[in-house]
């Protein structure tokens, strides 16, 4: 049978998010035709730095800065219309047009009642709170699963839209009031007027059946980039449930999140921090908090892009990454923020866990067991040199080279690139 190899690459968060997906998407976008966000919503915060400019995007694909690229928000995403319009305007104010933006008519809309429910649910969970971004992601995906969600395509038929919104608003107001004792309730006319009079005119032209468009682009062998949001350990099924997001950030969800078939994805790059971070609650075996962790947090600017919350810091966890490589099928790794480790005398890498006195090299499916895992470390010598200006693997100090080689060896995936600073130019391909 004829083998087809499309020119497509997936940029996947391999840990708990914030690995640098925005940076790598922007880097690859310089030589791409199409960039697709296929999951999550504005819980994502992606940072792009070039030419002394810094941008933060949450829902518009990070490839937008190459103005020739078609940017797609595909069906698997959930879209907050206020955020969408504010990002379109933020880009416009900075000289970037969104004329090449396409939004799936199948994508679901996040409404204000979703964010209110997110907030109430978090409060009700008390000490079991997930630490969500409170953007309404979970409640919106829950409505989608429950088949009461309202989609972007519904905006094209106002009468139908109002019918669906009325059902939802009545239902949600009851839940907010009676279950959560919440004072805030929502009004159909107010929401409808805001959307139809002010928001929709600013993006209506971008709405389309993106599945058809993507199918054509892939088959025409155009260079298509899939920009992941969140990280694999936040995956609803394969992450550290229930401390996860409500979507599927892993590569296999590209198919359902876009309508493309599985073979449409050829290269799968695991975007990986040279250490580990996590925001929100949940087990984090290699977490530590001391002077070194504080230095990493400050040097790496480890504060949430969206929420500004300080990120939790941990040593590199090869067990997590191997798991991530298995569930995603990584064809290569991009090791990010390597520069942040400069000056740390000894670097630890977790190579296995001790669970009930037994050594294991996998991520347990039950959170209780995962919480009992004690990380087993090897120690690698660090380096003191400033590496922010290196332009090849060979220019790295030998200890940094060995650190990368060890990661690759433990995970069984080649390192195809690494990053030594936030700027687009501080990205180095490994031959
Ligand atoms: P994303 O959500 O995966 O796109 O990542 P975020 O943008 O939330 O967080 C990554 C942070 O690291 C951002 O502040 C980036 O500007 C920054 N960053 C990316 N790569 C590097 C790097 O190699 N070195 C340093 N120092 N910062 C980096
Ligand atoms: P990017 O794309 C890091 C985390 C939240 C919380 C959990 C559930 O920038 O890597 P949610 O609001 O999704 O219901 O929150 O998931 N989370 C992220 N953490 N980076 C992200 O996105 C995240 N998106 C969600 O902190 O623990
Ligand atoms: Mg982020």
């Amino acid at each position: 049978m004829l083998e087809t190899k499309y020119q497509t690459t997936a940029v996947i968060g391999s840990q708990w998010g914030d690995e640098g997906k925005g940076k790598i998407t922007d880097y690859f976008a310089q030589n791409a035709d199409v960039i697709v966000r296929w999951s999550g919503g504005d819980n994502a915060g992606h940072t792009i730095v070039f030419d002394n400019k810094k941008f933060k995007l949450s829902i518009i694909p990070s490839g937008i800065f190459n103005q020739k690229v078609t940017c797609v928000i595909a069906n698997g995403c959930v879209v907050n219309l206020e955020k969408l319009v504010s990002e379109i305007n933020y880009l416009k104010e900075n000289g970037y047009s969104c004329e090449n933006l396409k939004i799936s008519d199948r994508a679901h809309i996040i409404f204000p009642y979703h964010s209110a429910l997110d907030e109430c649910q978090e409060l009700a969970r008390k000490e079991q709170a997930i630490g969500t971004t409170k953007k309404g992601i979970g409640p919106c995906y829950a409505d989608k699963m429950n088949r009461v969600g309202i989609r972007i395509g519904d905006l094209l038929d106002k009468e139908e839209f109002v019918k669906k919104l009325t059902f939802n608003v009545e239902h949600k107001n009851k839940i907010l009031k009676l279950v959560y004792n919440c004072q805030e309730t929502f009004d159909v006319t107010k929401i409808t007027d805001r959307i139809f009079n002010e928001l929709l005119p600013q993006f209506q032209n971008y709405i389309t059946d993106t599945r058809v468009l993507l199918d054509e682009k892939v088959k025409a062998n155009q260079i298509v980039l899939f920009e992941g949001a969140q990280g694999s350990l936040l995956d609803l099924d394969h992450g550290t449930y229930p401390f996860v997001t409500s979507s599927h950030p892993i590569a296999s969800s590209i198919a359902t999140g876009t309508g493309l078939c599985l073979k449409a994805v050829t290269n799968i790059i695991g975007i990986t921090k040279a250490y580990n971070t996590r925001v929100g609650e949940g087990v984090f075996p290699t977490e530590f908090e001391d002077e070194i962790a504080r230095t990493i947090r400050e040097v790496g600017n480890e504060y949430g892009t969206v929420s500004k919350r300080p990120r939790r810091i941990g040593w590199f966890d090869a067990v997590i990454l191997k798991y991530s490589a298995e569930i995603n099928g990584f064809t290569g790794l991009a090791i990010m923020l390597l520069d942040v480790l400069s000056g740390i005398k000894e670097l630890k890498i977790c190579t296995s866990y001790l669970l009930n006195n037994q050594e294991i090299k996998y991520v347990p499916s039950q959170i209780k067991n995962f919480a009992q895992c004690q990380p087993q470390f090897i120690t690698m010598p660090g380096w003191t040199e400033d590496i922010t200006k290196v332009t090849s693997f060979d220019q790295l100090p030998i200890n940094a080279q060995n650190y990368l080689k060890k990661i690759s060896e433990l995970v069984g995936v080649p390192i195809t690139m690494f990053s030594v600073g936030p700027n687009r130019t501080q990205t180095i391909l490994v031959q």
Side-chain angles (χ1 to χ4, degrees):
M1 205 163 65
L2 190 67
E3 274 278 316
T4 318
K5 191 108 179 166
Y6 297 120
Q7 296 197 72
T8 62
T9 300
V11 170
I12 304 287
S14 68
Q15 294 153 324
W16 277 286
D18 302 325
E19 300 91 345
K21 298 174 292 294
K23 172 178 165 159
I24 294 302
T25 302
D26 166 72
Y27 174 82
F28 282 135
Q30 302 316 304
N31 183 33
D33 301 304
V34 186
I35 318 284
V36 192
R37 267 284 305 267
W38 82 91
S39 80
D42 62 320
N43 47 349
H46 295 179
T47 317
I48 304 103
V49 183
F50 60 94
D51 297 345
N52 292 322
K53 290 184 271 192
K54 184 176 186 170
F55 294 96
K56 292 180 179 199
L57 294 177
S58 288
I59 188 65
I60 292 182
S62 303
I64 195 84
F65 302 100
N66 175 355
Q67 292 267 276
K68 291 190 200 125
V69 152
T70 303
C71 282
V72 176
I73 299 174
N75 59 276
C77 291
V78 286
V79 185
N80 179 323
L81 304 181
E82 296 283 354
K83 185 69 187 168
L84 173 71
V85 169
S86 85
E87 266 185 19
I88 290 172
N89 289 326
Y90 159 69
L91 287 164
K92 263 192 203 157
E93 282 157 21
N94 283 284
Y96 295 94
S97 150
C98 288
E99 282 314 299
N100 290 334
L101 181 63
K102 306 285 174 196
I103 306 168
S104 169
D105 53 3
R106 288 184 173 93
H108 280 247
I109 301 172
I110 303 176
F111 286 93
Y113 50 77
H114 288 130
S115 318
L117 279 167
D118 198 350
E119 194 134 9
C120 288
Q121 286 171 2
E122 277 289 86
L123 275 174
R125 284 186 198 111
K126 297 196 174 125
E127 63 278 2
Q128 274 131 38
I130 295 164
T132 73
T133 58
K134 304 202 178 116
K135 302 283 176 186
I137 306 297
C140 182
Y141 276 116
D143 276 1
K144 171 177 173 173
M145 294 300 165
N146 210 15
R147 291 148 297 172
V148 293
I150 303 177
R151 309 200 294 182
I152 295 278
D154 291 321
L155 296 169
L156 305 176
D157 181 341
K158 191 170 175 184
E159 212 175 301
E160 266 303 299
F161 174 87
V162 172
K163 236 192 247 171
K164 288 181 181 171
L165 185 65
T166 306
F167 171 84
N168 272 288
V169 165
E170 281 175 3
H171 189 68
K172 263 63 176 191
N173 278 347
K174 268 190 215 155
I175 295 177
L176 284 165
K177 220 164 142 185
L178 301 176
V179 177
Y180 295 110
N181 199 19
C182 172
Q183 302 307 313
E184 192 181 14
T185 52
F186 296 90
D187 180 77
V188 175
T189 313
K190 236 187 189 169
I191 296 177
T192 309
D193 286 353
R194 171 81 182 142
I195 291 177
F196 282 84
N197 299 342
E198 293 169 64
L199 302 177
L200 182 59
Q202 303 194 59
F203 66 88
Q204 182 156 7
N205 291 343
Y206 310 149
I207 302 173
T208 189
D209 184 341
T210 56
R211 188 206 71 77
V212 175
L213 175 115
L214 289 172
D215 190 58
E216 283 168 8
K217 298 277 188 195
V218 168
K219 284 180 179 155
N221 229 7
Q222 292 210 353
I223 301 173
V224 180
L225 196 57
F226 300 101
E227 178 183 9
Q230 289 74 55
S232 301
L233 274 293
L234 291 171
D235 184 273
L236 185 56
D237 275 285
H238 300 287
T240 46
Y241 191 89
F243 298 95
V244 293
T245 189
S246 298
S247 62
H248 297 282
I250 62 175
S252 48
S253 81
I254 294 174
T256 48
T258 60
L260 288 166
C261 66
L262 284 173
K263 70 175 180 187
V265 189
T266 43
N267 303 309
I268 305 175
I269 310 291
I271 314 301
T272 304
K273 261 181 194 166
Y275 45 96
N276 258 295
T277 62
R278 179 163 199 175
V279 264
E281 304 306 318
V283 180
F284 184 2
T286 65
E287 181 175 22
F288 67 108
E289 184 62 39
D290 62 10
E291 205 44 46
I292 295 175
R294 284 190 282 278
T295 304
I296 291 177
R297 187 176 294 115
E298 293 316 311
V299 177
N301 189 23
E302 294 295 359
Y303 293 89
T305 311
V306 175
S307 60
K308 309 278 180 266
R309 289 178 289 180
R311 293 175 184 148
R312 299 157 66 191
I313 308 289
W315 293 112
F316 189 88
D317 189 334
V319 182
I320 291 280
L321 203 71
K322 191 158 185 296
Y323 174 70
S324 198
E326 284 166 6
I327 59 179
N328 284 290
F330 292 146
T331 55
L333 296 176
I335 304 295
M336 312 298 291
L337 295 107
L338 191 62
D339 54 301
V340 175
L341 297 183
S342 296
I344 299 175
K345 213 167 151 206
E346 284 187 330
L347 301 168
K348 289 186 181 183
I349 297 180
C350 166
T351 53
S352 65
Y353 302 136
L354 214 53
L355 176 62
N356 300 328
N357 289 325
Q358 291 221 313
E359 191 187 33
I360 61 164
K361 291 192 175 186
Y362 59 86
V363 176
S365 52
Q366 301 302 309
I367 200 84
K368 257 192 186 164
N369 293 335
F370 195 30
Q372 282 168 19
C373 283
Q374 292 164 352
Q376 305 301 299
F377 292 107
I378 56 166
T379 301
M380 307 273 301
W383 59 92
T384 52
E385 295 90 334
D386 173 8
I387 60 167
T388 56
K389 290 182 187 68
V390 308
T391 54
S392 70
F393 183 81
D394 296 341
Q395 286 175 16
L396 283 174
I398 196 73
N399 287 351
Q401 291 187 16
N402 287 339
Y403 186 70
L404 293 186
K405 282 183 188 163
K406 180 54 85 180
I407 288 174
S408 177
E409 179 195 311
L410 288 168
V411 179
V413 179
I415 289 170
T416 46
M417 59 206 299
F418 64 94
S419 172
V420 291
N423 207 292
R424 188 189 282 163
T425 54
Q426 292 170 301
T427 317
I428 294 111
L429 292 176
V430 179
Q431 298 308 320

